Every structure is written in C-alpha cells, then in structure tokens.
Amino acid sequence: MVVQQYRDGGGARAVRALAAAGVIAVTAGCFGGDGGGGAGDGAGQRSVAADRPLDLLGRAADVLVEAGGAETRTSMETAAGGTRVTIRGQGAYDFRKQMGRLRVVLPKDAAGKDAAGAGGHRPITELLAPGALYMKNRGAGVPDDKWVRIDTTGLKDGNLVTGGVTDPMAAAELLRGAADVTYAGKTELAGVTVHRYRGVADLGRAARAASPQSRGALSAAAKGFSKDAVPFDAYLDEDGRLRKVRHRFTFSTDARGPEVSVVSTLLLYGFGLPVTVTLPDEDAIYTGEIRQG
C-alpha cells in the first residue's frame, strides 16, 4: 500500500520505493486552464448553470458513459515530510466499458535524471479495467515483456492513488458522494465554457451510489482511508460532461505518523473518441517476486 512506502521517509527514496513496488503515489494539478481539443468538444445548446449542483454532480458519471470514450491527461502530486513528487499520465478511456490505457511518467529519480534519461525510470504503460490494474515496464525484476496485475478491490485505497493515476471512472463516481457543494461560477477551459463546482465528497456515500463495476474499489477506499472526506473542484461543460476534476486525498502513514496529502487531477477532452483496450493474456502476467528496492 502506498501509505506504507512513506515510512522510510525522503523524497527521492520514496520515489524509488513507490516505483519499485508498483505503488505510485503522486498528484495534481499543474493543468490550470489548459487542455486539449478533439472530436465532440463543441459546447451543447443547454446550460447546466440553473440545475441543482448535487443533481449535476450525481449524474456526471452517467453523462460520461453516454459520451463513450475520451482522451485524458492526469497529474498526481504527493506531499509527505516536506517533499513533493509529481507523476503525470496521458491516454484514453472508454467510460462505457470502464477501461483505459495510459502512459505514466515518473518524476526524476534520486540522481536528478528524468524518466527518459539513463538511469531514470521508463514510462509505465497502465491498463485500467473494472477491479484491475495492469502495469508494464514496472522494473524491479519484472521482465520487459511481462505485465503486473493488481486487484484494485484488494488495495486499501481502491487504486485512487496507488497507480499514480486515479481511474477516470472512479474519479467521476466519487462525485456521487458530493455534499456541501457551491457553484463557483463560469470560466473557460481549453476554449470551452465550463461551470465550476466546489465541494466535499464522502467515500462511503460514493461507494454506495457507484456503479457495480466501481463499487468494490470505492468500498475498499472507504475502509482504507483514515478520512472519508475528499474535497474537490469539478468543471462541467454545457452538456454536463466532466471536463476537469481535482480531488484532495489525505491519510496518515500510521497512527503516529504525519499526514500525507495527495492531489489528483483529471482532464478530459476529445469526447466520442473510439478507445480500444486489449488486456494481456494470462501467460503475459508476471507471477514472480517483485523486488522492493
């Protein structure tokens, strides 16, 4: 579990431990107001501003399912012991099948080399599926042609932070647990008019309201996190499609340890994009021991 990795302390050492264990905690949001364009990005004809915020956020995941596929960019930043590390991802996600493929780039290593440099971490390919996370280029003794499979319903965080990327569907389903929501006004994101909402999501309530495919992972997170409350900022376009969401997760490394803050940002664009995700065969799954250092 990601929380345990931080007991060793130290930013660079934490990055090595997280990458070695396949448990990548990071966070958010250097997206500001930028984003990408793409198919299906035109604003709709009806305004969502007059709708009740709780109703809008409660059906945000359903609207994404109707939209089908989308391109996505992610950023996750973790703060622990005064040290911050950031992991970024980019790819595509099919909200109908709840499956996606992302390329995740780790931060600089202890030697200060970037992910593409000698001695640095190679980008990790991640496949997201209901209840499962597949990772390739994991390192730590895993052969280059093998995948590591993780049962996300068995993770204490439900893979909200473990993979360095919050599953896009889980991020949207979290909004089903929203409360204390305020409308923060209209703004523009990548040339698209969006409406901003601020609030706090309750993990337990979100898990109970989630789709069957997401319920197991969110239920695990509701039990595993020390705090059920997850503050968020959500940006919806005129059609009620979630364009950007930033969640702030907080948990403790142990009963006496310092709190760890994780800010996870998801950016969605290019709606209607066909997304094909092929999961690896069983013989491509690595079943050996994964080195921790």
Side-chain angles (χ1 to χ4, degrees):
M1 160 73 179
V2 58
V3 206
Q4 297 170 332
Q5 300 301 324
Y6 280 97
R7 292 179 181 171
D8 293 334
R13 184 166 42 188
V15 171
R16 292 199 306 271
L18 294 172
V23 177
I24 313 165
V26 285
T27 132
C30 297
F31 291 140
D34 67 345
D41 275 352
Q45 296 301 310
R46 76 170 189 60
S47 174
V48 301
D51 291 350
R52 293 181 65 246
L54 286 177
D55 293 339
L56 281 169
L57 297 172
R59 62 175 181 258
D62 298 327
V63 173
L64 290 176
V65 171
E66 293 175 4
E71 295 182 74
T72 179
R73 286 168 56 191
T74 67
S75 176
M76 186 175 283
E77 180 184 86
T78 298
T83 301
R84 293 180 181 273
V85 292
T86 302
I87 294 175
R88 304 185 188 279
Q90 186 167 1
Y93 192 88
D94 185 328
F95 286 95
R96 291 173 182 165
K97 297 180 179 179
Q98 296 193 17
M99 298 175 68
R101 182 184 184 96
L102 296 101
R103 181 178 183 268
V104 178
V105 179
L106 302 179
K108 292 181 179 180
D109 64 10
K113 297 174 181 177
D114 61 24
H121 303 295
R122 289 184 299 170
I124 295 174
T125 299
E126 293 191 6
L127 303 181
L128 306 174
L133 167 66
Y134 297 83
M135 295 186 293
K136 196 172 186 180
N137 292 341
R138 268 273 294 94
V142 179
D144 290 345
D145 62 340
K146 294 292 186 180
W147 294 81
V148 173
R149 182 188 186 279
I150 297 174
D151 179 0
T152 55
T153 62
L155 294 172
K156 290 184 179 179
D157 72 313
N159 195 33
L160 293 179
V161 298
T162 286
V165 173
T166 300
D167 183 294
M169 191 62 182
E173 297 261 33
L174 261 176
L175 298 178
R176 297 187 192 274
D180 301 324
V181 177
T182 59
Y183 177 58
K186 187 163 58 174
T187 186
E188 193 171 281
L189 183 66
V192 176
T193 298
V194 293
H195 299 269
R196 183 179 183 181
Y197 300 88
R198 292 173 176 167
V200 178
D202 180 271
L203 283 167
R205 183 162 57 244
R208 292 189 294 272
S211 64
Q213 298 95 319
S214 300
R215 192 169 299 146
L218 288 178
S219 296
K223 296 176 182 177
F225 275 96
S226 58
K227 293 185 178 181
D228 283 344
V230 181
F232 67 84
D233 288 84
Y235 300 76
L236 277 63
D237 67 15
E238 296 285 352
D239 290 330
R241 295 177 299 193
L242 185 65
R243 291 283 182 156
K244 177 182 175 181
V245 62
R246 176 179 291 127
H247 292 104
R248 297 168 182 83
F249 304 102
T250 304
F251 49 87
S252 298
T253 56
D254 55 46
R256 294 172 297 178
E259 286 190 335
V260 176
S261 175
V262 177
V263 183
S264 178
T265 301
L266 170 71
L267 191 69
L268 296 170
Y269 55 99
F271 291 101
L273 175 78
V275 179
T276 301
V277 179
T278 303
L279 300 181
D281 296 329
E282 285 298 319
D283 59 2
I285 306 298
Y286 180 69
T287 58
E289 182 179 354
I290 298 177
R291 294 198 304 268
Q292 301 299 308

